[in-house]
Amino acid sequence: MNGFRKFLTQGSVIDLAVAVVVGAAFNAIVQSFVADLLTPLISAFGGLPDFSTLKVTIGQSNFMYGNFINAVISFLIVAAVLYFLVVKPYTHFRDRSAAKIEAKTRDCPECLSEIPKAASRCAFCSEEVTPVTL
């Protein structure tokens, strides 16, 4: 029982649980954005694309392929919203932050040890190196 308790209180399990809850809440926000804002905007320009009535009947079975088309269109809209409103801005922010963090060390050309950029001699092999100004 102690091992199970330790497993449950590990950071990764708790992080995963928090991620699932936040993801579910975020899903509700994105679904509302698509259903309440984007779909009416699209229908204002091109008519409301509702394919739910499309079906093929074979024998006694109805194949509701219109519902599948609606689900694919909804998925594409949600994926586009997530990409342009979350992924792209986050990637831009991350890249700008990473560009600000400049390496303060470099490798010695002789022994490949990590030395400060401003060093004029390697601390490991005593090789003279040209200092790089910060």
Side-chain angles (χ1 to χ4, degrees):
M1 216 46 189
N2 287 336
F4 184 66
R5 185 172 9 114
K6 184 178 177 183
F7 168 74
L8 288 179
T9 58
Q10 274 182 321
S12 58
V13 174
I14 294 171
D15 290 345
L16 180 62
V18 169
V20 168
V21 171
V22 170
F26 188 72
N27 179 44
I29 292 170
V30 171
Q31 292 291 342
S32 175
F33 179 77
V34 169
D36 299 333
L37 298 176
L38 282 184
T39 303
L41 184 65
I42 292 171
S43 67
F45 292 109
L48 183 62
D50 183 17
F51 302 105
S52 62
T53 58
L54 299 176
K55 66 180 179 178
V56 171
T57 303
I58 299 175
Q60 298 290 331
S61 300
N62 290 325
F63 295 92
M64 306 294 287
Y65 70 92
N67 288 334
F68 177 74
I69 294 172
N70 278 343
V72 168
I73 291 171
S74 176
F75 169 78
L76 292 174
I77 291 172
V78 169
V81 167
L82 283 175
Y83 177 76
F84 288 111
L85 295 181
V86 176
V87 173
K88 194 167 182 170
Y90 173 73
T91 304
H92 179 70
F93 173 74
R94 186 188 64 207
D95 291 346
R96 284 187 65 193
S97 297
K100 291 180 183 178
I101 301 171
E102 187 178 326
K104 296 180 182 179
T105 61
R106 61 185 170 141
D107 290 338
C108 171
E110 187 66 28
C111 69
L112 300 177
S113 298
E114 192 174 283
I115 60 173
K117 279 190 170 185
S120 60
R121 187 175 295 276
C122 178
F124 301 98
C125 69
S126 299
E127 178 72 20
E128 281 194 42
V129 292
T130 306
V132 177
T133 57
L134 299 175

